[in-house]
Amino acid sequence: MHSFKSVFNEDAFLSIVKQHQVQIAQELAALNQQLRADQLFLGVRLDEQVKILVTADSDSESEGISYSLVGSPCEQVMNEGACSVVKDVQLKYPRDKALKHFCAQAYLGAGIFNENEDNIGILVALFTTPQPHVSQWLYTFTVQAKLFAAQIQKYYLARRTCHQLALLEAVSDISNTGAWEYYPATNQLYWSEQTYRIHGISKEQPMTPERAMSFYCEDSREQIKRDFNLLLNKGLGYKEEFQIVDNDGQKKWVRTSGKVELGVNGEPKRLYGAFEDITELKQALVISEERAARIQNILNSINDAVISIDTDGIIRHCNAVASRIFGFSQDELISQPVEILMPEPYATNHKKYMVHYENTGNAKIMGVGRQLPAIRKDGSVFQMELSLSESFDMGEKRYVGVIRDISERLEAQDTIYNLAYTDSVTHLRNSQWFQQEFQDLLLRAAVRNEYVHALLLDMDNMAQINTRLGYSNGNKALQVIAEKLLFTIGHDYELYKFTSDSFIVLSKRTFKKQELHYFEPALIENALLNPRHFEIELEGVQWPLSASLGSAIFDPQSQNFERIISVLELSVKRAKASAPFGLCHVSNDGIEEFDRYVAIKDKLKPAIENDELSIVLQPQVNEYGALTSFEALVRWHSPELGWVSPSDFIPIAEESHVICDIGNVVLEKSLRAISMFIRKGLDVSIAINISARQIILPDFSTSLLEKVRQYAIPPQLLMLELTETALVMDIALVKQTMVELSRYGFRFSVDDFGTGYSSLAYLKELPISELKIDKFFVDDICEENSGKASQIVDAIIEMSKALKVTCIAEGVETQAQVNYLTERGCERFQGYYFSKPLPAKHWLENALMRFPTRKQALSKLL
Ligand code: C2E
Ligand code: CA
Ligand code: CA
C-alpha cells in the first residue's frame, strides 16, 4: 500500500525517481549536452548520506552509490544553498571520497526541495578538469534543480491522485454510487465509471445531458429535467429517487443528486452530483412491506389482541382487536409503556420481571398461556389469557403477546361454558373450541414462519347405525371411538369433535420448513385409520364401522382458517372415493388442486350460461356388433381452464343444484341429436345420465315429458341411467318417479352396477330394464388375479337374468373382454373397443356406416 502522506518526502522522492528513471535520465542527458560535465546526477538525501539515483550517462556504474555528506561540498549545498567550485575541489574537501572516486576537479551542486522547503535531494555536476566559468552556470543549474523538483513532485501528485481515484472508484463500486459532472460553459457532461456501469453502457461513449435524461422512465423524465434546470438556473440542489431503464432494458431504481459550484461572478461553473443504484434496497423494502402487510392481515383477521413490545417494554405494534379490547386507539397505545395495560401490582413489578428474564431467560409465562388481570382505558379490570413469545423485527428483539379477553368465558365457566365448548356426546372439545385454538396456532406458526398439520377424520357409515340401531347406539359408538382415538394420538396431537360424525386431529406443535422432510405424517395417519378403532360392539353384535381421513400440512402465511377447513373437507371427500378407510394426504399440489376445485366451482354456472357445454355420443352395440344406441356424455371446454373432464366437474356440480342445470342442457342436446337421427332414418336410442339430485326434483317427470313432446321424440328412445346411489337416495320418491315415467315408455339402466349397496329384493320392485356393469370390473376380467372381478361380473349377469333385464358392459377395450362377456351371456357392450365418444355431427355425417344397424345385423344372421 502506498502512503498518502501529503508531504513529498525522501521516500517518495526515491520511489518516484526510480519509477521515472528513464525519463529523468534523458532530461539529465539533455542538460549535459550544454553543461558537458563528466558526471551529472540526481541524488537523494538519506540521513547523513547522499544516494545517487540517476545519472546523465545511462551506462554509468555510479547509480546506487552512496557517499557521506560530512565534509563534502554537497553538505554545504544542503546547508547554505547552491555552490560551485572552479578547481581543486578535492583539495578543498579532502574527506569527500566520492570526489576522489570520480577524480573531480570542479563542482556544481544545487538542492532539490519539497513544498515545505526541506532539502530532500541534490543535483550534482562533476568535472575532471578545472572549469573557470563554472560559476556562470550556477543560476541555470539552480533553476534546473527546481525544475527537476517540480517535475518529480508532479509525478508524485499524479500518482497520489491516481491512487485516490482508484480508492474512490472502489468505494463507489462497493456502494453502487457513481458521479456526474457538467460544465455549462462547454455543455460537457462527464460520468464516472460506475455511472456508466449503472446505465449498462461502456465508458467510451460520450455523454450529453439529453442522452442521460433519455434513460429515465417516462413519468420521471419531466421531473429530472425540471430539477436539472432549477439547479442550472437557480442553483437549487436536488436529491431524488427515480426509475431508469438501462441499456439492456432492465429497470433500475436510482438515487440521483445535484449540486452547483459557482464561478467568481456567481455563474454556475460546474454542476455535479452522485448517482446511486438503489434497486436492491427498493426490492428489499418492497418485500419487507409485503411481508409486513401480510402479517398485519393475519393479525387483523384473528379474534385476539396482539401486542408487541421492545426490550424496554414500549409498545411497538398492536392490532385492531387490541385497541378494541383495551379501549385505547392504536395511536394511543403505540410508543406507550406496556404497563398502562396492567393493574397494580403487576404494573410496578413488570420492569423487574423483564430485567429478570433478560438476564436469566427464565419466565413462567413464555410460550404458555396464562391467566392474568388486565386494565382497560376506562380503568375496568378484566381477566385475560396471555401467551408470550419472542421474535425479532429487523434485528431488534420483540416480545409478542397474544391476548384474549376471557372474562366472559370465565363467567360462564361451568355448565354453559361446557355446553358451548365441548361436545355433549363424547365430551371432547368441540368445533368452536377447535376454531379458537386453531387460530391461535395458526398465528403462532405464521409469526414463526412454521407449518401446521391438521387432519379431518370422517365416519363413513354412521347414518346407517343411527337408522338401524337408533341414536343412542350411534352415540355410544362415537364415545367408544373417541376414547380409542384419544389414546392413539398421544401428547403431540389434540382431538376435537368437529361435526356430528367427524373429528379433527390437530398437531400441537408447529414445524419448521426443514423439519418437514423428516416429518412422517403417515405415522399418525395410519394409527388413526386402524380398523380396530372402528370395530364396535352394539347390542351384543360386532359392527365394523369405517372412516375416511383427510390430512394436510399448511403454511399459515398463505392459508386462512376457512380455506384450511375447506381443503380438509375436500380431501375427506377424495378419501371417501376409496372408502372404507380412505386416506387423502394433501401436499402443496393438493392445495393447488383445491384451487382448481374452487375455480371449477366458480366457473360452472357461467359455463352453462355461456353455452360452453356440449355432448359427445358413445356407441352401444349388441352381441352381433350392431349399433343399438348411444350414451350421451357431457363435455366442457372452458376458455380459462381448457378441457375439464366430467369426472372432475360432475362431482362438484353434484354438490349443488348446478347438476340439474347441466342435466337439462344434456337432455336438450341429446333430444336434438335424436331428432336429427330420426330425420336421417336411423333407428337408435340414447342413454342419458341422470344424477341423484335431478331425479328427486318434484317436477322432474313433468319437465321431461314436456321436453320429449316439444321435440316429438318417442320416450322409448330414451334410456335414463341412474347410479345405485341415486336409486337409494329417497327410495319411495325415486320409485314413484320411475314408475310414472316407465308408464310413458321411458326405460331405466342402473349405472356403475356393482359398486353400490342395492339389494336384489329392492331392485325387483323398480321398473328397471338394464344393468350396467361398471368399467371397474370389466377392466379386470381378463387380467391375472381377476378372480374376484370375474365373479362379480358373472354374478351381475346372472342377476340381470333373474331380474329379466338386459345387461350391458361399459369400458370394454379388448376382444378378449368381449369374448368373455359374450360367453357369460352379456348382451350389450360399450367401450373404446368399439368407439370413443364423439360429437353427434360425426355420427350423422358418415361414421354410422362403420356399424351395421340392427336390421343389417339381423339380415346378416338370417
Ligand atoms: P359414466 O356414466 O360411467 O361414463 C362412462 C365413462 O367411461 C365416460 O367417461 C366414458 O368416456 C368412459 N369410457 C367409455 N368407454 C371407455 C373405455 O373403453 N375405456 C375407458 N378408459 N373409458 C371409457 P367420461 O365421459 O369422462 O364421464 C365420466 C363420468 O362423468 C361418467 O361416468 C358420469 O358419471 C359422469 N357424466 C358424464 N356425462 C354426464 C352427464 O351428462 N350427466 C351426469 N349426471 N353425469 C355425467
Ligand atoms: Ca353412464
Ligand atoms: Ca359407469
Coordinates of all heavy atoms in Angstrom, one line a residue, residues 485-556:
L485 N -59.5 -43.1 19.9 CA -58.6 -42.1 19.2 C -57.8 -41.3 20.1 O -56.6 -41.0 19.9 CB -59.5 -41.2 18.3 CG -60.3 -41.8 17.2 CD1 -61.1 -40.8 16.4 CD2 -59.3 -42.5 16.2
L486 N -58.4 -40.9 21.2 CA -57.7 -40.1 22.2 C -56.4 -40.8 22.7 O -55.4 -40.2 22.8 CB -58.6 -39.9 23.5 CG -59.2 -38.5 23.6 CD1 -60.0 -38.4 24.9 CD2 -58.2 -37.4 23.5
F487 N -56.6 -42.1 22.9 CA -55.5 -42.9 23.3 C -54.4 -43.0 22.2 O -53.2 -42.9 22.5 CB -56.0 -44.3 23.6 CG -55.0 -45.2 24.2 CD1 -54.5 -45.1 25.5 CD2 -54.4 -46.2 23.4 CE1 -53.5 -45.9 26.0 CE2 -53.4 -47.1 23.9 CZ -53.0 -46.9 25.2
T488 N -54.8 -43.1 21.0 CA -53.9 -43.2 19.9 C -53.1 -42.0 19.6 O -51.9 -42.1 19.3 CB -54.7 -43.5 18.6 OG1 -55.5 -44.6 18.8 CG2 -53.8 -43.8 17.4
I489 N -53.7 -40.8 19.7 CA -53.0 -39.6 19.3 C -51.8 -39.2 20.2 O -50.9 -38.5 19.8 CB -53.9 -38.4 19.1 CG1 -54.6 -38.1 20.4 CG2 -54.9 -38.6 17.9 CD1 -55.4 -36.8 20.3
G490 N -51.9 -39.6 21.5 CA -50.8 -39.3 22.4 C -50.8 -37.8 22.8 O -51.8 -37.1 22.7
H491 N -49.5 -37.3 23.1 CA -49.4 -36.0 23.6 C -49.2 -35.0 22.5 O -49.3 -33.8 22.7 CB -48.3 -35.9 24.6 CG -48.6 -36.7 25.8 ND1 -49.6 -36.5 26.6 CD2 -48.0 -37.8 26.3 CE1 -49.7 -37.4 27.6 NE2 -48.7 -38.2 27.4
D492 N -48.8 -35.4 21.3 CA -48.4 -34.5 20.3 C -49.6 -33.9 19.6 O -49.5 -32.8 18.9 CB -47.5 -35.2 19.2 CG -46.2 -35.5 19.9 OD1 -45.9 -35.0 20.9 OD2 -45.5 -36.4 19.3
Y493 N -50.7 -34.5 19.7 CA -51.9 -34.0 18.9 C -53.1 -33.8 19.9 O -53.1 -34.2 21.0 CB -52.3 -35.1 17.9 CG -51.4 -35.1 16.7 CD1 -50.2 -35.8 16.7 CD2 -51.7 -34.4 15.5 CE1 -49.3 -35.8 15.7 CE2 -50.8 -34.4 14.4 CZ -49.6 -35.1 14.5 OH -48.8 -35.1 13.4
E494 N -54.0 -33.0 19.4 CA -55.2 -32.7 20.2 C -56.4 -33.2 19.3 O -56.4 -33.1 18.1 CB -55.3 -31.2 20.3 CG -56.3 -30.7 21.4 CD -55.8 -30.9 22.8 OE1 -54.8 -30.2 23.2 OE2 -56.3 -31.8 23.5
L495 N -57.4 -33.7 20.0 CA -58.6 -34.3 19.3 C -59.8 -33.4 19.6 O -60.0 -33.0 20.7 CB -58.8 -35.7 19.8 CG -60.0 -36.5 19.2 CD1 -59.7 -36.8 17.7 CD2 -60.3 -37.7 19.9
Y496 N -60.5 -33.1 18.6 CA -61.7 -32.3 18.7 C -62.9 -33.0 18.0 O -62.6 -33.7 16.9 CB -61.6 -30.9 18.0 CG -60.4 -30.1 18.5 CD1 -59.2 -30.3 18.0 CD2 -60.6 -29.2 19.6 CE1 -58.1 -29.5 18.5 CE2 -59.5 -28.4 20.0 CZ -58.3 -28.6 19.5 OH -57.2 -27.9 19.9
K497 N -64.1 -32.9 18.5 CA -65.2 -33.3 17.7 C -65.6 -32.2 16.8 O -65.7 -31.0 17.2 CB -66.4 -33.6 18.7 CG -67.6 -34.2 18.1 CD -67.5 -35.7 17.9 CE -68.7 -36.2 17.3 NZ -69.9 -35.8 18.0
F498 N -65.7 -32.5 15.5 CA -65.9 -31.4 14.5 C -67.4 -31.3 14.2 O -68.1 -30.4 14.6 CB -65.0 -31.6 13.3 CG -65.0 -30.5 12.4 CD1 -64.6 -29.2 12.9 CD2 -65.3 -30.6 11.1 CE1 -64.6 -28.1 12.1 CE2 -65.3 -29.5 10.2 CZ -64.9 -28.3 10.7
T499 N -67.9 -32.3 13.4 CA -69.4 -32.3 13.1 C -69.9 -33.5 13.8 O -69.2 -34.2 14.6 CB -69.7 -32.4 11.6 OG1 -69.1 -33.6 11.2 CG2 -69.0 -31.3 10.9
S500 N -71.2 -33.9 13.6 CA -71.8 -34.9 14.3 C -71.0 -36.3 14.2 O -71.0 -37.1 15.1 CB -73.3 -35.1 13.9 OG -73.3 -35.5 12.6
D501 N -70.4 -36.5 13.0 CA -69.7 -37.7 12.9 C -68.3 -37.5 12.3 O -67.8 -38.4 11.5 CB -70.5 -38.8 12.1 CG -70.8 -38.2 10.7 OD1 -70.5 -37.1 10.4 OD2 -71.4 -39.0 9.9
S502 N -67.7 -36.4 12.7 CA -66.3 -36.3 12.2 C -65.4 -35.7 13.3 O -66.0 -35.0 14.2 CB -66.2 -35.4 11.0 OG -66.6 -34.1 11.3
F503 N -64.2 -35.9 13.3 CA -63.2 -35.5 14.3 C -62.1 -34.7 13.6 O -61.7 -35.0 12.5 CB -62.6 -36.7 15.0 CG -63.5 -37.6 15.7 CD1 -64.2 -38.6 15.1 CD2 -63.8 -37.4 17.1 CE1 -65.0 -39.5 15.7 CE2 -64.7 -38.2 17.7 CZ -65.3 -39.2 17.1
I504 N -61.6 -33.7 14.4 CA -60.4 -33.0 13.9 C -59.2 -33.5 14.8 O -59.4 -33.5 16.0 CB -60.5 -31.5 14.0 CG1 -61.5 -31.0 12.9 CG2 -59.2 -30.8 13.9 CD1 -60.9 -30.5 11.7
V505 N -58.1 -33.7 14.1 CA -56.9 -34.0 14.9 C -55.9 -33.0 14.5 O -55.6 -32.7 13.4 CB -56.3 -35.4 14.6 CG1 -55.1 -35.7 15.4 CG2 -57.4 -36.5 14.8
L506 N -55.4 -32.3 15.5 CA -54.5 -31.1 15.3 C -53.2 -31.3 16.0 O -53.2 -31.5 17.2 CB -55.2 -29.9 15.8 CG -54.5 -28.5 15.6 CD1 -54.4 -28.3 14.1 CD2 -55.3 -27.4 16.2
S507 N -52.1 -31.1 15.3 CA -50.8 -31.2 15.9 C -50.6 -30.0 16.8 O -50.9 -28.9 16.4 CB -49.7 -31.2 14.8 OG -48.5 -31.1 15.4
K508 N -50.2 -30.3 18.1 CA -49.9 -29.2 19.0 C -48.7 -28.4 18.6 O -48.6 -27.2 18.8 CB -49.7 -29.7 20.4 CG -51.0 -30.2 21.1 CD -50.7 -30.6 22.5 CE -51.7 -31.5 23.0 NZ -51.3 -32.2 24.3
R509 N -47.8 -29.0 18.0 CA -46.6 -28.3 17.6 C -46.6 -27.9 16.2 O -47.3 -28.4 15.4 CB -45.3 -29.1 18.0 CG -45.3 -30.5 17.3 CD -43.9 -31.1 17.4 NE -42.9 -30.1 16.8 CZ -41.9 -30.5 16.1 NH1 -41.7 -31.8 15.9 NH2 -41.1 -29.7 15.6
T510 N -45.7 -26.9 15.9 CA -45.6 -26.5 14.5 C -44.3 -26.9 14.0 O -43.4 -27.2 14.8 CB -45.8 -24.9 14.5 OG1 -44.8 -24.4 15.4 CG2 -47.2 -24.5 14.8
F511 N -44.2 -26.9 12.7 CA -43.0 -27.5 12.1 C -42.2 -26.5 11.2 O -42.8 -25.7 10.5 CB -43.4 -28.6 11.1 CG -44.1 -29.7 11.8 CD1 -45.5 -29.7 12.0 CD2 -43.4 -30.8 12.4 CE1 -46.2 -30.7 12.6 CE2 -44.1 -31.8 13.1 CZ -45.5 -31.7 13.2
K512 N -40.9 -26.5 11.4 CA -40.1 -25.6 10.5 C -40.0 -26.3 9.2 O -40.2 -27.5 9.0 CB -38.6 -25.6 11.1 CG -38.5 -24.8 12.3 CD -37.0 -24.5 12.6 CE -36.8 -23.7 13.8 NZ -37.5 -24.2 15.0
K513 N -39.8 -25.4 8.1 CA -39.8 -25.9 6.8 C -38.8 -27.1 6.6 O -39.1 -28.1 6.1 CB -39.4 -24.8 5.8 CG -39.7 -25.2 4.4 CD -39.5 -24.0 3.5 CE -40.1 -24.4 2.1 NZ -40.4 -23.3 1.3
Q514 N -37.6 -26.9 7.2 CA -36.6 -28.0 7.0 C -37.0 -29.3 7.7 O -36.6 -30.4 7.3 CB -35.2 -27.7 7.5 CG -34.6 -26.5 8.1 CD -35.3 -25.3 8.6 OE1 -36.3 -24.8 8.0 NE2 -34.8 -24.9 9.7
E515 N -37.8 -29.2 8.8 CA -38.2 -30.3 9.6 C -39.2 -31.2 8.7 O -39.3 -32.4 9.0 CB -39.0 -29.9 10.8 CG -38.1 -29.5 12.0 CD -39.0 -29.1 13.2 OE1 -39.9 -28.3 13.0 OE2 -38.7 -29.6 14.2
L516 N -39.9 -30.6 7.8 CA -40.9 -31.3 7.1 C -40.4 -32.5 6.4 O -41.1 -33.5 6.2 CB -41.7 -30.4 6.1 CG -42.5 -29.3 6.8 CD1 -43.2 -28.4 5.7 CD2 -43.6 -29.9 7.6
H517 N -39.1 -32.4 6.0 CA -38.5 -33.6 5.3 C -38.5 -34.8 6.1 O -38.6 -35.9 5.7 CB -37.1 -33.3 4.8 CG -37.0 -32.2 3.9 ND1 -37.6 -32.3 2.6 CD2 -36.5 -30.9 4.0 CE1 -37.4 -31.1 2.0 NE2 -36.7 -30.3 2.8
Y518 N -38.3 -34.6 7.4 CA -38.2 -35.8 8.3 C -39.5 -36.1 8.9 O -39.6 -37.2 9.5 CB -37.2 -35.4 9.5 CG -35.9 -34.9 8.9 CD1 -35.6 -33.5 9.1 CD2 -35.0 -35.7 8.3 CE1 -34.4 -33.0 8.6 CE2 -33.8 -35.1 7.8 CZ -33.5 -33.8 7.9 OH -32.4 -33.3 7.4
F519 N -40.4 -35.2 8.8 CA -41.7 -35.5 9.5 C -42.5 -36.5 8.7 O -42.6 -36.5 7.5 CB -42.5 -34.1 9.5 CG -43.9 -34.3 10.0 CD1 -44.2 -34.8 11.2 CD2 -44.9 -33.8 9.2 CE1 -45.5 -34.9 11.6 CE2 -46.2 -34.0 9.6 CZ -46.5 -34.5 10.8
E520 N -43.0 -37.5 9.5 CA -43.7 -38.6 8.9 C -45.2 -38.6 9.2 O -45.6 -39.2 10.1 CB -43.0 -39.9 9.5 CG -42.8 -41.1 8.7 CD -42.9 -41.0 7.2 OE1 -44.0 -40.8 6.6 OE2 -41.8 -41.1 6.5
P521 N -46.0 -37.9 8.4 CA -47.4 -37.8 8.7 C -48.1 -39.2 8.6 O -49.1 -39.4 9.3 CB -48.0 -36.9 7.6 CG -46.9 -36.8 6.6 CD -45.6 -37.1 7.2
A522 N -47.5 -40.1 7.8 CA -48.1 -41.4 7.7 C -48.3 -42.1 9.0 O -49.2 -42.9 9.2 CB -47.3 -42.3 6.7
L523 N -47.4 -41.8 10.0 CA -47.4 -42.5 11.3 C -48.8 -42.2 12.0 O -49.5 -43.2 12.3 CB -46.3 -42.0 12.2 CG -44.9 -42.5 11.9 CD1 -43.9 -41.9 12.8 CD2 -44.9 -44.0 12.0
I524 N -49.1 -41.0 12.1 CA -50.4 -40.7 12.8 C -51.6 -41.0 11.9 O -52.6 -41.5 12.4 CB -50.4 -39.2 13.2 CG1 -51.8 -38.8 13.8 CG2 -50.2 -38.2 12.0 CD1 -51.8 -39.0 15.3
E525 N -51.4 -40.9 10.6 CA -52.5 -41.2 9.7 C -52.9 -42.7 9.8 O -54.0 -43.0 9.9 CB -52.1 -40.8 8.2 CG -52.1 -39.3 8.0 CD -51.3 -38.9 6.7 OE1 -50.8 -39.8 6.0 OE2 -51.3 -37.7 6.5
N526 N -51.8 -43.5 9.7 CA -52.1 -45.0 9.8 C -52.7 -45.3 11.2 O -53.6 -46.2 11.3 CB -50.9 -45.8 9.5 CG -50.5 -45.6 8.0 OD1 -51.4 -45.4 7.2 ND2 -49.2 -45.7 7.7
A527 N -52.1 -44.7 12.2 CA -52.6 -45.0 13.5 C -54.1 -44.7 13.7 O -54.8 -45.4 14.3 CB -51.8 -44.2 14.6
L528 N -54.5 -43.6 13.1 CA -55.9 -43.2 13.2 C -56.8 -44.1 12.5 O -57.9 -44.4 12.9 CB -56.0 -41.7 12.7 CG -55.5 -40.6 13.6 CD1 -55.6 -39.3 12.9 CD2 -56.3 -40.5 14.9
L529 N -56.3 -44.6 11.3 CA -57.2 -45.4 10.4 C -57.2 -46.8 10.8 O -57.7 -47.7 10.1 CB -56.8 -45.2 9.0 CG -57.3 -43.9 8.3 CD1 -56.9 -43.9 6.8 CD2 -58.8 -43.8 8.4
N530 N -56.6 -47.2 11.9 CA -56.5 -48.6 12.3 C -58.0 -49.1 12.5 O -58.7 -48.6 13.3 CB -55.8 -48.6 13.7 CG -55.6 -50.1 14.2 OD1 -56.3 -51.0 13.6 ND2 -54.8 -50.2 15.2
P531 N -58.3 -50.2 11.7 CA -59.7 -50.7 11.7 C -60.2 -51.1 13.1 O -61.4 -51.1 13.3 CB -59.6 -51.9 10.8 CG -58.5 -51.6 9.9 CD -57.5 -50.9 10.7
R532 N -59.2 -51.4 14.0 CA -59.6 -51.8 15.3 C -60.4 -50.7 16.1 O -61.2 -51.0 16.9 CB -58.5 -52.3 16.1 CG -58.4 -53.9 16.0 CD -57.4 -54.4 16.9 NE -56.0 -54.1 16.4 CZ -54.9 -54.1 17.1 NH1 -55.0 -54.4 18.4 NH2 -53.8 -53.8 16.6
H533 N -60.0 -49.5 15.8 CA -60.8 -48.4 16.5 C -62.2 -48.4 16.1 O -63.0 -47.8 16.8 CB -60.2 -47.0 16.1 CG -58.8 -46.8 16.4 ND1 -58.1 -47.4 17.4 CD2 -57.8 -46.1 15.7 CE1 -56.9 -47.0 17.4 NE2 -56.7 -46.2 16.4
F534 N -62.5 -48.9 15.0 CA -63.9 -48.8 14.5 C -64.7 -50.0 14.5 O -65.8 -50.1 13.9 CB -63.8 -48.2 13.0 CG -63.0 -47.0 12.9 CD1 -61.7 -47.0 12.6 CD2 -63.6 -45.8 13.2 CE1 -60.9 -45.8 12.6 CE2 -62.9 -44.6 13.2 CZ -61.5 -44.6 12.9
E535 N -64.2 -51.0 15.3 CA -65.0 -52.2 15.5 C -65.7 -52.1 16.8 O -65.1 -52.0 17.9 CB -64.1 -53.4 15.5 CG -64.2 -54.3 14.3 CD -63.3 -55.5 14.3 OE1 -63.1 -56.1 15.4 OE2 -62.8 -55.8 13.2
I536 N -67.0 -51.9 16.7 CA -67.8 -51.6 17.9 C -68.8 -52.7 18.2 O -69.4 -53.2 17.3 CB -68.6 -50.3 17.6 CG1 -67.7 -49.2 17.0 CG2 -69.3 -49.8 18.9 CD1 -66.7 -48.7 18.0
E537 N -68.9 -53.0 19.5 CA -69.9 -54.0 19.8 C -71.2 -53.2 20.3 O -71.1 -52.4 21.2 CB -69.4 -54.9 20.9 CG -70.2 -56.1 21.0 CD -69.9 -56.9 22.3 OE1 -68.7 -57.4 22.4 OE2 -70.8 -57.1 23.1
L538 N -72.3 -53.5 19.6 CA -73.5 -52.8 20.0 C -74.6 -53.9 20.1 O -74.8 -54.7 19.2 CB -73.9 -51.8 18.9 CG -73.0 -50.6 18.8 CD1 -73.4 -49.7 17.6 CD2 -73.1 -49.7 20.0
E539 N -75.3 -53.9 21.2 CA -76.3 -54.9 21.4 C -75.8 -56.3 21.2 O -76.5 -57.1 20.5 CB -77.6 -54.6 20.6 CG -78.1 -53.2 21.0 CD -79.4 -52.8 20.3 OE1 -79.8 -53.5 19.3 OE2 -80.1 -52.0 20.9
G540 N -74.6 -56.6 21.6 CA -74.0 -57.9 21.5 C -73.5 -58.3 20.2 O -73.1 -59.4 19.9
V541 N -73.6 -57.3 19.2 CA -73.1 -57.7 17.9 C -71.9 -56.8 17.5 O -71.9 -55.6 17.8 CB -74.3 -57.4 16.8 CG1 -73.8 -57.8 15.4 CG2 -75.5 -58.2 17.2
Q542 N -71.0 -57.4 16.8 CA -69.8 -56.6 16.3 C -70.2 -55.8 15.1 O -70.7 -56.4 14.1 CB -68.6 -57.5 16.0 CG -68.0 -58.1 17.2 CD -67.1 -57.1 17.9 OE1 -66.6 -56.2 17.3 NE2 -67.0 -57.2 19.2
W543 N -70.0 -54.5 15.1 CA -70.3 -53.7 13.9 C -69.0 -53.1 13.4 O -68.3 -52.3 14.0 CB -71.2 -52.5 14.3 CG -72.6 -53.0 14.6 CD1 -73.1 -53.4 15.8 CD2 -73.6 -53.1 13.7 NE1 -74.4 -53.8 15.7 CE2 -74.8 -53.6 14.4 CE3 -73.8 -52.9 12.3 CZ2 -76.0 -53.9 13.8 CZ3 -75.0 -53.1 11.7 CH2 -76.1 -53.6 12.4
P544 N -68.6 -53.5 12.2 CA -67.4 -52.9 11.6 C -67.8 -51.6 11.0 O -68.4 -51.5 9.9 CB -67.0 -54.0 10.5 CG -68.3 -54.7 10.2 CD -69.3 -54.5 11.3
L545 N -67.4 -50.5 11.6 CA -67.5 -49.2 11.0 C -66.2 -48.8 10.3 O -65.2 -49.5 10.5 CB -67.8 -48.2 12.1 CG -69.1 -48.3 12.9 CD1 -69.2 -47.4 14.0 CD2 -70.3 -48.2 11.9
S546 N -66.3 -47.8 9.5 CA -65.0 -47.3 8.9 C -65.1 -45.8 8.8 O -66.1 -45.2 9.0 CB -64.9 -48.0 7.5 OG -65.8 -47.4 6.7
A547 N -63.9 -45.3 8.5 CA -63.8 -43.8 8.5 C -62.9 -43.5 7.3 O -62.1 -44.3 6.8 CB -63.2 -43.3 9.8
S548 N -62.9 -42.2 6.9 CA -62.0 -41.7 5.9 C -61.3 -40.5 6.5 O -61.8 -39.8 7.3 CB -62.8 -41.2 4.7 OG -63.6 -42.3 4.2
L549 N -60.0 -40.4 6.0 CA -59.2 -39.4 6.6 C -58.6 -38.4 5.6 O -58.0 -38.9 4.6 CB -58.0 -40.1 7.4 CG -57.1 -39.2 8.2 CD1 -57.8 -38.6 9.4 CD2 -55.9 -40.0 8.7
G550 N -58.7 -37.1 5.8 CA -58.0 -36.1 5.0 C -57.0 -35.5 5.9 O -57.2 -35.2 7.1
S551 N -55.8 -35.3 5.3 CA -54.7 -34.8 6.2 C -53.9 -33.8 5.3 O -53.7 -34.0 4.1 CB -53.8 -36.0 6.5 OG -52.5 -35.6 6.8
A552 N -53.5 -32.8 6.0 CA -52.8 -31.7 5.2 C -51.8 -31.0 6.1 O -52.1 -30.8 7.3 CB -53.8 -30.8 4.6
I553 N -50.7 -30.5 5.5 CA -49.8 -29.7 6.1 C -49.9 -28.3 5.5 O -49.8 -28.2 4.3 CB -48.4 -30.3 6.0 CG1 -48.3 -31.6 6.8 CG2 -47.3 -29.3 6.5 CD1 -47.2 -32.5 6.4
F554 N -50.0 -27.3 6.3 CA -50.3 -26.0 5.8 C -49.3 -25.0 6.1 O -48.6 -25.1 7.2 CB -51.6 -25.5 6.4 CG -52.8 -26.3 6.0 CD1 -53.3 -27.2 6.9 CD2 -53.4 -26.1 4.8 CE1 -54.4 -28.0 6.6 CE2 -54.5 -26.8 4.5 CZ -55.0 -27.8 5.4
D555 N -49.1 -24.0 5.2 CA -48.3 -22.9 5.5 C -49.2 -21.7 5.9 O -49.9 -21.2 5.0 CB -47.5 -22.5 4.2 CG -46.8 -21.2 4.4 OD1 -46.8 -20.7 5.5 OD2 -46.1 -20.8 3.4
P556 N -49.3 -21.4 7.1 CA -50.3 -20.4 7.6 C -50.1 -19.0 7.0 O -51.0 -18.2 7.0 CB -50.2 -20.4 9.1 CG -48.9 -21.0 9.4 CD -48.5 -21.8 8.3

